Amino acid sequence: MPHPSVTAQTYPHKPAIIMGASGEVVSYRELDERSNQGAQLFRSLGLKAGDHIGMMLENNRQFLEIAWAAQRAGIIFTPISTHLKLAEAAYIIENCGASLFIGSLALAEVAAQVLAAAPGNVTHFFMVGGIKPGFESWEEAIDLQPNTPIADESNGVPMLYSSGTTGQPKGVFVPPESDDVNTPHPMAGSIGAAFGFSPESVYLSPAPLYHAAPLHYCMMVTFMGGTVIVMEQFDAERALQLIEDHRVTHSQWVPIMFIRMLKLPQEVRERYDVSSMQFAIHAAAPCPIEVKEKMIDWWGEVIIEYYAASEGIGVTIIDSANWLTHKGSVGPAVVGELHILDDDGNELPPGEIGTIYFGGAQTRFAYHNEPEKTAGAYNEKGWATTSDVGYVDADGFLYLTDRKNFMIISGGVNIYPQEIENLLITHPKIADVAVFGLPHEEFGEQVKAVVEPMNWADATDEVAIEIMEWLRDKLSHIKMPRSLDFHRKLPRMDNGKLYKRHLVDEYRGATRSGEEMGASTDKEDGV
């Protein structure tokens, strides 16, 4: 499996990256030269193998050029979500010990805030796409560097931070398998092989590159010599058009993207040829059964799902054929050994819900500078968890129920919001939904539903009653939301994950202050 530099020698004009909206093409020769120049710049600034950098960029060509520059220089690079609040971004930059930060002109406002709040460990500030006070131009800086490899190439890796959906982001550091810059991508032998990636692959990446799966897939594909189509932002119809235009063979999605595409008018969905797709991979959040059924009906049995985490503790995979006989499952373990434990650490039999653990991992991960959190992720047997909850069936197939932190306990009954959300999202008037628990004097907690309507004109008490009546026929009484509100936009990030804690904090704060939040609350941003 060649490094992109090898593909640059054999197929210099082959597209490595194509930007979905602009159509901008980066050939393998260009990727090789720009990543060499970036690595040379890092060395000229005194950065050595094992040093850290931080980067906050939208999806653009420079993102992957910088990632490959870091990989060739042995740099540990941390992409930062463009949606994080300043305090969270500053925390990540300080926690990872970045000595260099790269921002973007398109995100100049937040970049300026990061500059002002950056800790003392950051000594160099660069900006791509333009320049603002306090920043040097990334493009001008690397233009001054030779486009030949540095003398001491080493294998750099990303250190990604958890999305912070339930608390402070945590840096997940998995050390490289080898310092050799030509070491194959760690996913190549497992997911890469299982999904048939090859030099002929054309991979559509519709999600932000600062998230684990999009970044790893894009780097794996370019390591293999394939072509990556990067969407600047996800748009349901544009995604379908790109599949047809570029004869896309592989893609990676989150369930909310499936939902957005399925809610396009039928004539729009039928307009595009998606027959080139060999593997449409999805992960990051549980997919409602009805949604996945419709996607398989539409695209065929090319839909494949996996469950994993940045921590690298284990992987499950399920293809369409197996899913149709195990609906709702994320599959059996293909990396690691599955264990379901109760709150006392006892292993549970098939069918019983508990915390998901994986054993048998070859490499232990660590939360950067968080030894207590790292230790808390492992039990005395060395099995690791990310606090997801689920169960296995008699065939060893895993089913997710929810995050442990999201579970609602009402009247002593465990209620998993994901089940309720999966039902509500199928309602034709609902674009997105969040369900969580609020304090209740008698029952401990009560179930709350917050809905983003397809059309804001439907944000009325009458429609709220209509949705609740519709749900009542499908859900047991104990799980029914006690109230339903409307928000213009729920805080769901581009990785498909809902930042539910923002809603929980808002509503719990309102509860403490005695405010009433009615059925048609008008929230502009949902946070």
Side-chain angles (χ1 to χ4, degrees), residues 276-308:
S276 62
M277 189 71 65
Q278 299 170 12
F279 290 89
I281 306 152
H282 73 99
C287 187
I289 289 176
E290 184 178 336
V291 169
K292 191 160 180 177
E293 287 174 334
K294 289 180 177 178
M295 286 302 301
I296 294 173
D297 287 343
W298 179 14
W299 286 12
E301 293 190 12
V302 300
I303 310 292
I304 190 163
E305 182 173 6
Y306 72 91
Y307 165 70

PDB file of all heavy atoms in Angstrom, residues 276-308:
ATOM      1  N   SER A 276     -23.584   3.505  -9.049  1.00  0.00           N
ATOM      2  CA  SER A 276     -22.137   3.261  -8.931  1.00  0.00           C
ATOM      3  C   SER A 276     -21.724   2.911  -7.510  1.00  0.00           C
ATOM      4  O   SER A 276     -20.628   2.374  -7.286  1.00  0.00           O
ATOM      5  CB  SER A 276     -21.354   4.488  -9.391  1.00  0.00           C
ATOM      6  OG  SER A 276     -21.663   5.612  -8.566  1.00  0.00           O
ATOM      7  N   MET A 277     -22.601   3.213  -6.527  1.00  0.00           N
ATOM      8  CA  MET A 277     -22.250   3.029  -5.122  1.00  0.00           C
ATOM      9  C   MET A 277     -22.086   1.549  -4.789  1.00  0.00           C
ATOM     10  O   MET A 277     -22.981   0.745  -4.996  1.00  0.00           O
ATOM     11  CB  MET A 277     -23.320   3.651  -4.230  1.00  0.00           C
ATOM     12  CG  MET A 277     -22.940   3.713  -2.754  1.00  0.00           C
ATOM     13  SD  MET A 277     -21.645   4.920  -2.435  1.00  0.00           S
ATOM     14  CE  MET A 277     -22.508   6.430  -2.863  1.00  0.00           C
ATOM     15  N   GLN A 278     -20.912   1.200  -4.253  1.00  0.00           N
ATOM     16  CA  GLN A 278     -20.628  -0.166  -3.828  1.00  0.00           C
ATOM     17  C   GLN A 278     -20.789  -0.339  -2.316  1.00  0.00           C
ATOM     18  O   GLN A 278     -21.258  -1.370  -1.845  1.00  0.00           O
ATOM     19  CB  GLN A 278     -19.209  -0.559  -4.241  1.00  0.00           C
ATOM     20  CG  GLN A 278     -18.973  -0.525  -5.745  1.00  0.00           C
ATOM     21  CD  GLN A 278     -17.505  -0.673  -6.104  1.00  0.00           C
ATOM     22  OE1 GLN A 278     -16.677  -1.026  -5.265  1.00  0.00           O
ATOM     23  NE2 GLN A 278     -17.165  -0.381  -7.358  1.00  0.00           N
ATOM     24  N   PHE A 279     -20.381   0.684  -1.568  1.00  0.00           N
ATOM     25  CA  PHE A 279     -20.498   0.653  -0.109  1.00  0.00           C
ATOM     26  C   PHE A 279     -20.919   2.036   0.384  1.00  0.00           C
ATOM     27  O   PHE A 279     -20.180   3.008   0.220  1.00  0.00           O
ATOM     28  CB  PHE A 279     -19.166   0.280   0.556  1.00  0.00           C
ATOM     29  CG  PHE A 279     -18.754  -1.144   0.345  1.00  0.00           C
ATOM     30  CD1 PHE A 279     -17.993  -1.506  -0.751  1.00  0.00           C
ATOM     31  CD2 PHE A 279     -19.125  -2.131   1.249  1.00  0.00           C
ATOM     32  CE1 PHE A 279     -17.611  -2.811  -0.951  1.00  0.00           C
ATOM     33  CE2 PHE A 279     -18.745  -3.445   1.061  1.00  0.00           C
ATOM     34  CZ  PHE A 279     -17.991  -3.788  -0.050  1.00  0.00           C
ATOM     35  N   ALA A 280     -22.105   2.126   0.968  1.00  0.00           N
ATOM     36  CA  ALA A 280     -22.569   3.346   1.628  1.00  0.00           C
ATOM     37  C   ALA A 280     -22.505   3.076   3.128  1.00  0.00           C
ATOM     38  O   ALA A 280     -23.359   2.388   3.685  1.00  0.00           O
ATOM     39  CB  ALA A 280     -23.980   3.696   1.186  1.00  0.00           C
ATOM     40  N   ILE A 281     -21.480   3.594   3.752  1.00  0.00           N
ATOM     41  CA  ILE A 281     -21.149   3.262   5.133  1.00  0.00           C
ATOM     42  C   ILE A 281     -21.787   4.287   6.060  1.00  0.00           C
ATOM     43  O   ILE A 281     -21.791   5.486   5.763  1.00  0.00           O
ATOM     44  CB  ILE A 281     -19.617   3.261   5.313  1.00  0.00           C
ATOM     45  CG1 ILE A 281     -18.964   2.330   4.284  1.00  0.00           C
ATOM     46  CG2 ILE A 281     -19.227   2.865   6.721  1.00  0.00           C
ATOM     47  CD1 ILE A 281     -17.547   2.727   3.920  1.00  0.00           C
ATOM     48  N   HIS A 282     -22.328   3.835   7.178  1.00  0.00           N
ATOM     49  CA  HIS A 282     -22.846   4.815   8.137  1.00  0.00           C
ATOM     50  C   HIS A 282     -22.507   4.406   9.554  1.00  0.00           C
ATOM     51  O   HIS A 282     -22.290   3.232   9.860  1.00  0.00           O
ATOM     52  CB  HIS A 282     -24.355   5.040   7.964  1.00  0.00           C
ATOM     53  CG  HIS A 282     -25.226   3.920   8.436  1.00  0.00           C
ATOM     54  ND1 HIS A 282     -25.853   3.932   9.670  1.00  0.00           N
ATOM     55  CD2 HIS A 282     -25.594   2.770   7.852  1.00  0.00           C
ATOM     56  CE1 HIS A 282     -26.573   2.827   9.807  1.00  0.00           C
ATOM     57  NE2 HIS A 282     -26.434   2.110   8.726  1.00  0.00           N
ATOM     58  N   ALA A 283     -22.442   5.424  10.410  1.00  0.00           N
ATOM     59  CA  ALA A 283     -22.055   5.219  11.809  1.00  0.00           C
ATOM     60  C   ALA A 283     -22.374   6.495  12.578  1.00  0.00           C
ATOM     61  O   ALA A 283     -23.142   7.327  12.118  1.00  0.00           O
ATOM     62  CB  ALA A 283     -20.566   4.881  11.908  1.00  0.00           C
ATOM     63  N   ALA A 284     -21.782   6.630  13.780  1.00  0.00           N
ATOM     64  CA  ALA A 284     -21.822   7.832  14.636  1.00  0.00           C
ATOM     65  C   ALA A 284     -23.059   7.936  15.510  1.00  0.00           C
ATOM     66  O   ALA A 284     -23.006   8.514  16.590  1.00  0.00           O
ATOM     67  CB  ALA A 284     -21.661   9.117  13.830  1.00  0.00           C
ATOM     68  N   ALA A 285     -24.199   7.415  15.044  1.00  0.00           N
ATOM     69  CA  ALA A 285     -25.425   7.475  15.854  1.00  0.00           C
ATOM     70  C   ALA A 285     -26.334   6.335  15.414  1.00  0.00           C
ATOM     71  O   ALA A 285     -26.278   5.915  14.256  1.00  0.00           O
ATOM     72  CB  ALA A 285     -26.123   8.822  15.671  1.00  0.00           C
ATOM     73  N   PRO A 286     -27.170   5.818  16.330  1.00  0.00           N
ATOM     74  CA  PRO A 286     -28.100   4.759  15.927  1.00  0.00           C
ATOM     75  C   PRO A 286     -29.037   5.230  14.823  1.00  0.00           C
ATOM     76  O   PRO A 286     -29.519   6.361  14.836  1.00  0.00           O
ATOM     77  CB  PRO A 286     -28.870   4.459  17.222  1.00  0.00           C
ATOM     78  CG  PRO A 286     -27.963   4.917  18.325  1.00  0.00           C
ATOM     79  CD  PRO A 286     -27.243   6.109  17.769  1.00  0.00           C
ATOM     80  N   CYS A 287     -29.288   4.360  13.862  1.00  0.00           N
ATOM     81  CA  CYS A 287     -30.153   4.708  12.732  1.00  0.00           C
ATOM     82  C   CYS A 287     -31.542   4.125  12.964  1.00  0.00           C
ATOM     83  O   CYS A 287     -31.680   2.911  13.201  1.00  0.00           O
ATOM     84  CB  CYS A 287     -29.576   4.151  11.439  1.00  0.00           C
ATOM     85  SG  CYS A 287     -30.461   4.679   9.954  1.00  0.00           S
ATOM     86  N   PRO A 288     -32.600   4.931  12.913  1.00  0.00           N
ATOM     87  CA  PRO A 288     -33.958   4.395  13.055  1.00  0.00           C
ATOM     88  C   PRO A 288     -34.211   3.287  12.038  1.00  0.00           C
ATOM     89  O   PRO A 288     -33.809   3.395  10.873  1.00  0.00           O
ATOM     90  CB  PRO A 288     -34.851   5.612  12.800  1.00  0.00           C
ATOM     91  CG  PRO A 288     -33.992   6.793  13.141  1.00  0.00           C
ATOM     92  CD  PRO A 288     -32.607   6.398  12.749  1.00  0.00           C
ATOM     93  N   ILE A 289     -34.881   2.231  12.486  1.00  0.00           N
ATOM     94  CA  ILE A 289     -35.103   1.068  11.623  1.00  0.00           C
ATOM     95  C   ILE A 289     -35.822   1.448  10.338  1.00  0.00           C
ATOM     96  O   ILE A 289     -35.432   1.025   9.240  1.00  0.00           O
ATOM     97  CB  ILE A 289     -35.880  -0.019  12.399  1.00  0.00           C
ATOM     98  CG1 ILE A 289     -34.970  -0.642  13.457  1.00  0.00           C
ATOM     99  CG2 ILE A 289     -36.414  -1.091  11.455  1.00  0.00           C
ATOM    100  CD1 ILE A 289     -35.650  -1.659  14.353  1.00  0.00           C
ATOM    101  N   GLU A 290     -36.879   2.249  10.439  1.00  0.00           N
ATOM    102  CA  GLU A 290     -37.645   2.619   9.250  1.00  0.00           C
ATOM    103  C   GLU A 290     -36.794   3.396   8.254  1.00  0.00           C
ATOM    104  O   GLU A 290     -36.931   3.228   7.032  1.00  0.00           O
ATOM    105  CB  GLU A 290     -38.872   3.447   9.656  1.00  0.00           C
ATOM    106  CG  GLU A 290     -39.783   3.788   8.487  1.00  0.00           C
ATOM    107  CD  GLU A 290     -41.017   4.568   8.917  1.00  0.00           C
ATOM    108  OE1 GLU A 290     -41.412   4.468  10.107  1.00  0.00           O
ATOM    109  OE2 GLU A 290     -41.595   5.277   8.071  1.00  0.00           O
ATOM    110  N   VAL A 291     -35.894   4.238   8.753  1.00  0.00           N
ATOM    111  CA  VAL A 291     -35.011   5.013   7.882  1.00  0.00           C
ATOM    112  C   VAL A 291     -34.086   4.080   7.111  1.00  0.00           C
ATOM    113  O   VAL A 291     -33.914   4.201   5.887  1.00  0.00           O
ATOM    114  CB  VAL A 291     -34.192   6.028   8.706  1.00  0.00           C
ATOM    115  CG1 VAL A 291     -33.068   6.648   7.866  1.00  0.00           C
ATOM    116  CG2 VAL A 291     -35.103   7.116   9.260  1.00  0.00           C
ATOM    117  N   LYS A 292     -33.507   3.115   7.808  1.00  0.00           N
ATOM    118  CA  LYS A 292     -32.566   2.210   7.142  1.00  0.00           C
ATOM    119  C   LYS A 292     -33.286   1.295   6.155  1.00  0.00           C
ATOM    120  O   LYS A 292     -32.759   0.998   5.070  1.00  0.00           O
ATOM    121  CB  LYS A 292     -31.798   1.394   8.175  1.00  0.00           C
ATOM    122  CG  LYS A 292     -30.624   0.638   7.585  1.00  0.00           C
ATOM    123  CD  LYS A 292     -29.632   0.263   8.648  1.00  0.00           C
ATOM    124  CE  LYS A 292     -28.463  -0.494   8.098  1.00  0.00           C
ATOM    125  NZ  LYS A 292     -27.461  -0.811   9.115  1.00  0.00           N
ATOM    126  N   GLU A 293     -34.485   0.872   6.489  1.00  0.00           N
ATOM    127  CA  GLU A 293     -35.270   0.073   5.552  1.00  0.00           C
ATOM    128  C   GLU A 293     -35.490   0.828   4.249  1.00  0.00           C
ATOM    129  O   GLU A 293     -35.344   0.269   3.147  1.00  0.00           O
ATOM    130  CB  GLU A 293     -36.621  -0.296   6.177  1.00  0.00           C
ATOM    131  CG  GLU A 293     -36.549  -1.347   7.261  1.00  0.00           C
ATOM    132  CD  GLU A 293     -37.886  -1.562   7.949  1.00  0.00           C
ATOM    133  OE1 GLU A 293     -38.706  -0.612   7.957  1.00  0.00           O
ATOM    134  OE2 GLU A 293     -38.109  -2.657   8.487  1.00  0.00           O
ATOM    135  N   LYS A 294     -35.837   2.104   4.346  1.00  0.00           N
ATOM    136  CA  LYS A 294     -36.091   2.908   3.153  1.00  0.00           C
ATOM    137  C   LYS A 294     -34.818   3.131   2.343  1.00  0.00           C
ATOM    138  O   LYS A 294     -34.854   3.162   1.107  1.00  0.00           O
ATOM    139  CB  LYS A 294     -36.716   4.246   3.552  1.00  0.00           C
ATOM    140  CG  LYS A 294     -38.155   4.130   4.058  1.00  0.00           C
ATOM    141  CD  LYS A 294     -38.713   5.492   4.443  1.00  0.00           C
ATOM    142  CE  LYS A 294     -40.170   5.385   4.885  1.00  0.00           C
ATOM    143  NZ  LYS A 294     -40.711   6.711   5.302  1.00  0.00           N
ATOM    144  N   MET A 295     -33.680   3.296   3.021  1.00  0.00           N
ATOM    145  CA  MET A 295     -32.419   3.486   2.303  1.00  0.00           C
ATOM    146  C   MET A 295     -32.032   2.216   1.538  1.00  0.00           C
ATOM    147  O   MET A 295     -31.555   2.293   0.396  1.00  0.00           O
ATOM    148  CB  MET A 295     -31.300   3.881   3.274  1.00  0.00           C
ATOM    149  CG  MET A 295     -31.379   5.313   3.779  1.00  0.00           C
ATOM    150  SD  MET A 295     -31.356   6.590   2.480  1.00  0.00           S
ATOM    151  CE  MET A 295     -29.793   6.249   1.661  1.00  0.00           C
ATOM    152  N   ILE A 296     -32.236   1.055   2.142  1.00  0.00           N
ATOM    153  CA  ILE A 296     -31.922  -0.202   1.458  1.00  0.00           C
ATOM    154  C   ILE A 296     -32.853  -0.400   0.265  1.00  0.00           C
ATOM    155  O   ILE A 296     -32.430  -0.837  -0.810  1.00  0.00           O
ATOM    156  CB  ILE A 296     -31.990  -1.386   2.439  1.00  0.00           C
ATOM    157  CG1 ILE A 296     -30.875  -1.262   3.493  1.00  0.00           C
ATOM    158  CG2 ILE A 296     -31.866  -2.721   1.697  1.00  0.00           C
ATOM    159  CD1 ILE A 296     -30.951  -2.293   4.613  1.00  0.00           C
ATOM    160  N   ASP A 297     -34.122  -0.049   0.452  1.00  0.00           N
ATOM    161  CA  ASP A 297     -35.066  -0.133  -0.672  1.00  0.00           C
ATOM    162  C   ASP A 297     -34.633   0.771  -1.823  1.00  0.00           C
ATOM    163  O   ASP A 297     -34.790   0.416  -2.991  1.00  0.00           O
ATOM    164  CB  ASP A 297     -36.475   0.266  -0.213  1.00  0.00           C
ATOM    165  CG  ASP A 297     -37.136  -0.797   0.653  1.00  0.00           C
ATOM    166  OD1 ASP A 297     -36.665  -1.956   0.639  1.00  0.00           O
ATOM    167  OD2 ASP A 297     -38.117  -0.466   1.347  1.00  0.00           O
ATOM    168  N   TRP A 298     -34.089   1.936  -1.497  1.00  0.00           N
ATOM    169  CA  TRP A 298     -33.717   2.936  -2.498  1.00  0.00           C
ATOM    170  C   TRP A 298     -32.369   2.610  -3.145  1.00  0.00           C
ATOM    171  O   TRP A 298     -32.254   2.553  -4.373  1.00  0.00           O
ATOM    172  CB  TRP A 298     -33.685   4.305  -1.825  1.00  0.00           C
ATOM    173  CG  TRP A 298     -33.290   5.468  -2.679  1.00  0.00           C
ATOM    174  CD1 TRP A 298     -33.207   5.523  -4.048  1.00  0.00           C
ATOM    175  CD2 TRP A 298     -32.932   6.781  -2.205  1.00  0.00           C
ATOM    176  NE1 TRP A 298     -32.809   6.780  -4.453  1.00  0.00           N
ATOM    177  CE2 TRP A 298     -32.636   7.576  -3.352  1.00  0.00           C
ATOM    178  CE3 TRP A 298     -32.836   7.349  -0.939  1.00  0.00           C
ATOM    179  CZ2 TRP A 298     -32.250   8.913  -3.252  1.00  0.00           C
ATOM    180  CZ3 TRP A 298     -32.462   8.682  -0.838  1.00  0.00           C
ATOM    181  CH2 TRP A 298     -32.180   9.452  -1.971  1.00  0.00           C
ATOM    182  N   TRP A 299     -31.329   2.384  -2.340  1.00  0.00           N
ATOM    183  CA  TRP A 299     -29.970   2.214  -2.855  1.00  0.00           C
ATOM    184  C   TRP A 299     -29.573   0.753  -3.051  1.00  0.00           C
ATOM    185  O   TRP A 299     -28.528   0.478  -3.629  1.00  0.00           O
ATOM    186  CB  TRP A 299     -28.967   2.891  -1.915  1.00  0.00           C
ATOM    187  CG  TRP A 299     -28.986   4.394  -1.999  1.00  0.00           C
ATOM    188  CD1 TRP A 299     -29.917   5.176  -2.612  1.00  0.00           C
ATOM    189  CD2 TRP A 299     -28.019   5.287  -1.452  1.00  0.00           C
ATOM    190  NE1 TRP A 299     -29.593   6.501  -2.472  1.00  0.00           N
ATOM    191  CE2 TRP A 299     -28.427   6.613  -1.768  1.00  0.00           C
ATOM    192  CE3 TRP A 299     -26.848   5.114  -0.727  1.00  0.00           C
ATOM    193  CZ2 TRP A 299     -27.717   7.735  -1.376  1.00  0.00           C
ATOM    194  CZ3 TRP A 299     -26.128   6.241  -0.341  1.00  0.00           C
ATOM    195  CH2 TRP A 299     -26.553   7.543  -0.660  1.00  0.00           C
ATOM    196  N   GLY A 300     -30.376  -0.166  -2.525  1.00  0.00           N
ATOM    197  CA  GLY A 300     -30.007  -1.573  -2.602  1.00  0.00           C
ATOM    198  C   GLY A 300     -29.183  -1.989  -1.391  1.00  0.00           C
ATOM    199  O   GLY A 300     -28.950  -1.210  -0.467  1.00  0.00           O
ATOM    200  N   GLU A 301     -28.718  -3.226  -1.406  1.00  0.00           N
ATOM    201  CA  GLU A 301     -28.008  -3.776  -0.246  1.00  0.00           C
ATOM    202  C   GLU A 301     -26.539  -3.367  -0.229  1.00  0.00           C
ATOM    203  O   GLU A 301     -25.633  -4.196  -0.078  1.00  0.00           O
ATOM    204  CB  GLU A 301     -28.162  -5.294  -0.212  1.00  0.00           C
ATOM    205  CG  GLU A 301     -29.593  -5.736   0.065  1.00  0.00           C
ATOM    206  CD  GLU A 301     -29.725  -7.228   0.337  1.00  0.00           C
ATOM    207  OE1 GLU A 301     -28.687  -7.887   0.535  1.00  0.00           O
ATOM    208  OE2 GLU A 301     -30.858  -7.722   0.341  1.00  0.00           O
ATOM    209  N   VAL A 302     -26.313  -2.062  -0.415  1.00  0.00           N
ATOM    210  CA  VAL A 302     -24.957  -1.511  -0.331  1.00  0.00           C
ATOM    211  C   VAL A 302     -24.762  -0.772   0.998  1.00  0.00           C
ATOM    212  O   VAL A 302     -23.664  -0.289   1.286  1.00  0.00           O
ATOM    213  CB  VAL A 302     -24.661  -0.553  -1.503  1.00  0.00           C
ATOM    214  CG1 VAL A 302     -24.778  -1.289  -2.828  1.00  0.00           C
ATOM    215  CG2 VAL A 302     -25.592   0.669  -1.485  1.00  0.00           C
ATOM    216  N   ILE A 303     -25.817  -0.674   1.783  1.00  0.00           N
ATOM    217  CA  ILE A 303     -25.745   0.038   3.062  1.00  0.00           C
ATOM    218  C   ILE A 303     -25.038  -0.855   4.076  1.00  0.00           C
ATOM    219  O   ILE A 303     -25.439  -2.004   4.305  1.00  0.00           O
ATOM    220  CB  ILE A 303     -27.151   0.399   3.584  1.00  0.00           C
ATOM    221  CG1 ILE A 303     -27.990   1.080   2.495  1.00  0.00           C
ATOM    222  CG2 ILE A 303     -27.042   1.274   4.831  1.00  0.00           C
ATOM    223  CD1 ILE A 303     -27.518   2.442   2.089  1.00  0.00           C
ATOM    224  N   ILE A 304     -24.000  -0.334   4.692  1.00  0.00           N
ATOM    225  CA  ILE A 304     -23.233  -1.101   5.673  1.00  0.00           C
ATOM    226  C   ILE A 304     -22.950  -0.196   6.873  1.00  0.00           C
ATOM    227  O   ILE A 304     -22.690   0.995   6.723  1.00  0.00           O
ATOM    228  CB  ILE A 304     -21.934  -1.650   5.052  1.00  0.00           C
ATOM    229  CG1 ILE A 304     -21.244  -2.642   5.988  1.00  0.00           C
ATOM    230  CG2 ILE A 304     -20.993  -0.536   4.641  1.00  0.00           C
ATOM    231  CD1 ILE A 304     -20.206  -3.498   5.288  1.00  0.00           C
ATOM    232  N   GLU A 305     -23.064  -0.770   8.044  1.00  0.00           N
ATOM    233  CA  GLU A 305     -22.953   0.017   9.280  1.00  0.00           C
ATOM    234  C   GLU A 305     -21.841  -0.536  10.148  1.00  0.00           C
ATOM    235  O   GLU A 305     -21.595  -1.738  10.184  1.00  0.00           O
ATOM    236  CB  GLU A 305     -24.279  -0.035  10.041  1.00  0.00           C
ATOM    237  CG  GLU A 305     -24.301   0.780  11.328  1.00  0.00           C
ATOM    238  CD  GLU A 305     -25.685   0.829  11.970  1.00  0.00           C
ATOM    239  OE1 GLU A 305     -26.592   0.128  11.476  1.00  0.00           O
ATOM    240  OE2 GLU A 305     -25.857   1.561  12.970  1.00  0.00           O
ATOM    241  N   TYR A 306     -21.187   0.373  10.850  1.00  0.00           N
ATOM    242  CA  TYR A 306     -20.223  -0.074  11.853  1.00  0.00           C
ATOM    243  C   TYR A 306     -20.416   0.742  13.122  1.00  0.00           C
ATOM    244  O   TYR A 306     -20.983   1.837  13.112  1.00  0.00           O
ATOM    245  CB  TYR A 306     -18.783   0.046  11.344  1.00  0.00           C
ATOM    246  CG  TYR A 306     -18.262   1.462  11.245  1.00  0.00           C
ATOM    247  CD1 TYR A 306     -17.593   2.064  12.299  1.00  0.00           C
ATOM    248  CD2 TYR A 306     -18.441   2.200  10.079  1.00  0.00           C
ATOM    249  CE1 TYR A 306     -17.129   3.364  12.211  1.00  0.00           C
ATOM    250  CE2 TYR A 306     -17.978   3.495   9.977  1.00  0.00           C
ATOM    251  CZ  TYR A 306     -17.315   4.074  11.049  1.00  0.00           C
ATOM    252  OH  TYR A 306     -16.867   5.370  10.958  1.00  0.00           O
ATOM    253  N   TYR A 307     -19.964   0.183  14.217  1.00  0.00           N
ATOM    254  CA  TYR A 307     -19.969   0.873  15.498  1.00  0.00           C
ATOM    255  C   TYR A 307     -18.543   0.845  16.020  1.00  0.00           C
ATOM    256  O   TYR A 307     -17.912  -0.215  16.108  1.00  0.00           O
ATOM    257  CB  TYR A 307     -20.924   0.190  16.473  1.00  0.00           C
ATOM    258  CG  TYR A 307     -20.739   0.594  17.926  1.00  0.00           C
ATOM    259  CD1 TYR A 307     -21.080   1.865  18.363  1.00  0.00           C
ATOM    260  CD2 TYR A 307     -20.221  -0.304  18.860  1.00  0.00           C
ATOM    261  CE1 TYR A 307     -20.909   2.239  19.680  1.00  0.00           C
ATOM    262  CE2 TYR A 307     -20.058   0.050  20.194  1.00  0.00           C
ATOM    263  CZ  TYR A 307     -20.396   1.325  20.602  1.00  0.00           C
ATOM    264  OH  TYR A 307     -20.223   1.696  21.907  1.00  0.00           O
ATOM    265  N   ALA A 308     -18.009   2.002  16.332  1.00  0.00           N
ATOM    266  CA  ALA A 308     -16.643   2.112  16.830  1.00  0.00           C
ATOM    267  C   ALA A 308     -16.530   3.434  17.568  1.00  0.00           C
ATOM    268  O   ALA A 308     -17.498   4.184  17.689  1.00  0.00           O
ATOM    269  CB  ALA A 308     -15.631   2.027  15.692  1.00  0.00           C
TER     270      ALA A 308
END
